[in-house]
Amino acid sequence: MMIKLKYYLLSFGLFLALMFTNCKPLKTYKQPLLKTMPESYNSKKDSTNDAAINWKSYFTDETLIALIDTALTNNIDLLMTLQKIEMAQQQLNFAKVLGKPFVNAGVSVGQKRFGKYTMDGVGNYDTNFSNNITDDQKISEHLPDFNIGLQSSWEVDIWGKLRNKKMAAIARYLASVEGKNWIITNLISEISASYYSLIALDNELDIIKETRNLQLNELQIIKAQKEAGYANELAVKQFESRILNTRSLEVEILQSIVEIENKINFLLARYPQPIFRDKLQFTKPLPTQIRMGIPTQLLRNRPDVKKAEYEVMAAKADVEAARLAFYPSLNINANVGFQTFNPAYVVSPQSIAYNLLGGLSAPVINRKGLNADFGMANAIQTEALYNYQKSIIGAYTEVYNEMSNIKNLNLIQELKSQEVSILTESIVTSTDLFKTGRATYLEVLITQTNALQARIELINVKKQQYDAVVNIYKALGGGWR
């Protein structure tokens, strides 16, 4: 007897040793360290940040505001993202009940027959000859089985594995919300940039039409000079070709306008239609100064950075859950209800039956599989950390680039304005000289071409300034509030 007891104790001790030696992963992974953000974008450390401004206050054009409002209601990508948030919410709801008992109600009716040469068959046959049972307790050969009751299973979260799974689900839900905010930020900036492109094209179209009218007037002059013998057919053809070139530019701009209008319509989830706008908005002054704040504000303003941070938190919780999977798990199963083979006693105190079982189990054979899950979780966490660092550096770089862009565009705008002013005066001068025969038609054409190009370039610079104003707002993390 003592030998058997020692054998059982030795076996149980060996089982516990196997369990707890298996409770640790084979190896751990070092995570990369995130680099410290600079304290400022330049020498200034003003914490005032335009990203905190609501987009309706940042963009003052009422037509643009109406377009953005429509997009925030109807945009298909945004509606799809809201469904992803709903999916994340349901995953979170499921994770919340992981640490709680699962209880199921069940009703079952069955019938069974035991073989005569089985332990149950022989025992039931012998029981029927007992004097200790009544006639209604005798077991028939074809045995009915009626069962009504509750079944419960519960994994007790003794190590925190289920709690970490819940934390991962919460982090992923918050990441999906930030993903929605980032889509809103991009949607607002895309519509704004497209809207400013439209009014820039409207102003380009006005310049081209004005230039074409001037060219038509000069064509009449050159034709009159040809009839008077002061010009030849080559000069007439040069002016006619220039008019045709200007007309082709006009058609190209009209096509660009249609395409950008339809781009906005697509973002608004509607079919092609004209976009009403005030082209005079293009002449209004831009914000004189953009307040960038300090770089660390990007961590709470930029939805993409916040999303990456939540993904790191989720990955970290997954790693911890994968590590705790090596430890033993405690499971409790219970059943309570009524069970009888006589339908007359289905709901009766004599038919009450229950079962309670608690067990501790630990992985023994499948350690390689758990290590694979643990290694994958670590790799996903490392990737999430790299993505987080990439999003921070990218956000800082975007702001820094737009700061430089705004500064240089202001200088370019001043230079281009001076160039346009000089070339506009030269058009009048060349035309007057041409009428009196002191300038050739080629000089007139070259002057008109240079002036047209300079005026269009000035509009493009103004458009780039508007784009920079939109981009800096987006880069700072504004627009989603």
Side-chain angles (χ1 to χ4, degrees):
M1 183 70 180
M2 288 298 295
I3 295 175
K4 288 185 177 180
L5 180 60
K6 289 181 180 179
Y7 173 75
Y8 289 137
L9 289 175
L10 180 62
S11 299
F12 184 69
L14 179 61
F15 174 71
L16 289 179
L18 285 172
M19 281 201 306
F20 286 98
T21 53
N22 243 10
C23 287
K24 293 182 180 180
L26 290 176
K27 58 181 178 179
T28 57
Y29 298 84
K30 292 184 178 180
Q31 306 297 347
L33 296 175
L34 294 177
K35 298 179 180 179
T36 305
M37 291 185 70
E39 294 183 359
S40 64
Y41 299 108
N42 45 39
S43 57
K44 298 180 181 179
K45 296 184 180 180
D46 184 9
S47 61
T48 305
N49 194 316
D50 279 345
I53 300 175
N54 184 279
W55 63 268
K56 289 187 177 181
S57 300
Y58 190 81
F59 301 105
T60 57
D61 189 329
E62 294 298 329
T63 304
L64 175 58
I65 291 175
L67 291 172
I68 294 175
D69 270 330
T70 303
L72 294 179
T73 303
N74 300 334
N75 182 261
I76 296 175
D77 288 334
L78 185 56
L79 293 176
M80 291 171 61
T81 303
L82 293 176
Q83 293 307 307
K84 291 181 180 179
I85 293 177
E86 178 64 23
M87 289 187 284
Q89 176 66 61
Q90 297 308 319
Q91 290 174 349
L92 175 59
N93 293 339
F94 178 78
K96 286 180 179 179
V97 300
L98 285 178
K100 299 179 181 179
F102 286 88
V103 180
N104 299 314
V107 177
S108 64
V109 178
Q111 183 170 298
K112 52 190 172 183
R113 178 185 182 279
F114 296 105
K116 291 183 178 182
Y117 299 100
T118 63
M119 182 175 64
D120 292 316
V122 173
N124 292 341
Y125 178 80
D126 187 63
T127 299
N128 288 334
F129 293 100
S130 173
N131 295 324
N132 296 325
I133 62 173
T134 61
D135 289 340
D136 57 359
Q137 290 178 314
K138 290 185 177 182
I139 302 171
S140 63
E141 181 180 359
H142 300 281
L143 184 65
D145 185 22
F146 301 91
N147 196 335
I148 301 175
L150 302 175
Q151 300 89 37
S152 175
S153 62
W154 180 26
E155 181 180 352
V156 183
D157 192 22
I158 53 178
W159 310 111
K161 178 181 67 177
L162 301 180
R163 184 174 67 252
N164 277 279
K165 289 184 177 181
K166 178 181 176 181
M167 291 171 59
I170 292 173
R172 288 195 171 90
Y173 169 75
L174 296 174
S176 67
V177 173
E178 295 303 331
K180 181 262 296 182
N181 293 337
W182 186 234
I183 286 180
I184 290 176
T185 295
N186 282 278
L187 182 61
I188 290 174
S189 63
E190 190 171 0
I191 291 177
S192 301
S194 299
Y195 179 79
Y196 291 131
S197 294
L198 270 183
I199 59 178
L201 289 173
D202 289 339
N203 283 269
E204 281 189 37
L205 192 61
D206 288 342
I207 291 174
I208 288 176
K209 288 180 178 179
E210 181 184 333
T211 302
R212 189 187 63 184
N213 292 334
L214 179 62
Q215 291 171 343
L216 288 172
N217 291 333
E218 291 173 342
L219 177 61
Q220 297 304 318
I221 295 173
I222 198 67
K223 284 181 177 180
Q225 288 182 346
K226 176 191 172 186
E227 292 177 0
Y230 294 107
N232 54 34
E233 183 65 18
L234 178 61
V236 174
K237 294 300 181 183
Q238 289 285 353
F239 274 88
E240 288 178 345
S241 66
R242 182 54 54 187
I243 292 172
L244 292 173
N245 179 264
T246 304
R247 175 58 180 159
S248 67
L249 291 176
E250 181 180 349
V251 175
E252 289 178 6
I253 289 178
L254 289 172
Q255 177 60 27
S256 297
I257 288 174
V258 171
E259 292 177 0
I260 295 178
E261 282 184 328
N262 290 338
K263 178 182 178 181
I264 294 176
N265 285 318
F266 178 78
L267 294 174
L268 272 59
R270 66 189 190 187
Y271 290 103
Q273 56 185 277
I275 301 293
F276 298 100
R277 67 266 184 189
D278 182 11
K279 61 185 177 183
L280 296 179
Q281 289 286 337
F282 203 65
T283 60
K284 292 186 177 181
L286 294 163
T288 55
Q289 184 179 4
I290 304 295
R291 296 168 295 182
M292 273 75 68
I294 54 178
T296 53
Q297 291 174 332
L298 292 173
L299 301 179
R300 66 172 181 267
N301 289 334
R302 289 269 302 221
D304 59 327
V305 174
K306 294 169 68 178
K307 179 176 182 290
E309 181 181 5
Y310 285 127
E311 287 173 347
V312 170
M313 294 170 60
K316 182 179 180 181
D318 285 339
V319 169
E320 185 64 13
R323 185 184 68 84
L324 294 173
F326 288 86
Y327 288 78
S329 58
L330 175 62
N331 293 277
I332 298 176
N333 297 296
N335 298 301
V336 63
F338 300 95
Q339 185 175 20
T340 180
F341 59 80
N342 190 335
Y345 298 98
V346 170
V347 182
S348 171
Q350 293 88 346
S351 299
I352 294 176
Y354 70 87
N355 179 34
L356 180 64
L357 176 65
L360 195 66
S361 61
V364 176
I365 304 299
N366 62 337
R367 184 176 178 179
K368 288 185 178 180
L370 293 177
N371 265 290
D373 288 340
F374 180 72
M376 181 179 294
N378 265 285
I380 292 174
Q381 182 186 18
T382 303
E383 181 188 29
L385 283 167
Y386 283 138
N387 184 58
Y388 181 45
Q389 183 170 344
K390 177 183 175 183
S391 64
I392 292 175
I393 296 174
Y396 179 87
T397 304
E398 287 178 16
V399 175
Y400 198 91
N401 287 343
E402 291 303 328
M403 288 172 52
S404 176
N405 191 28
I406 290 173
K407 178 181 177 181
N408 290 325
L409 283 173
N410 290 335
L411 178 58
I412 294 172
Q413 197 267 345
E414 292 179 6
L415 297 174
K416 279 294 176 185
S417 296
Q418 295 176 20
E419 181 184 358
V420 168
S421 177
I422 293 172
L423 288 174
T424 302
E425 292 177 2
S426 67
I427 290 177
V428 178
T429 303
S430 64
T431 302
D432 291 340
L433 292 174
F434 176 68
K435 290 179 181 178
T436 58
R438 288 180 292 172
T440 66
Y441 68 89
L442 290 176
E443 291 175 320
V444 175
L445 291 174
I446 292 172
T447 302
Q448 289 178 354
T449 302
N450 292 339
L452 175 61
Q453 183 177 354
R455 294 177 71 182
I456 291 177
E457 288 175 354
L458 180 59
I459 289 178
N460 287 331
V461 170
K462 186 69 174 292
K463 176 187 172 298
Q464 291 176 43
Q465 288 179 307
Y466 271 106
D467 288 343
V469 170
V470 173
N471 291 338
I472 193 70
Y473 186 58
K474 171 190 170 184
L476 290 171
W480 56 271
R481 289 178 174 84

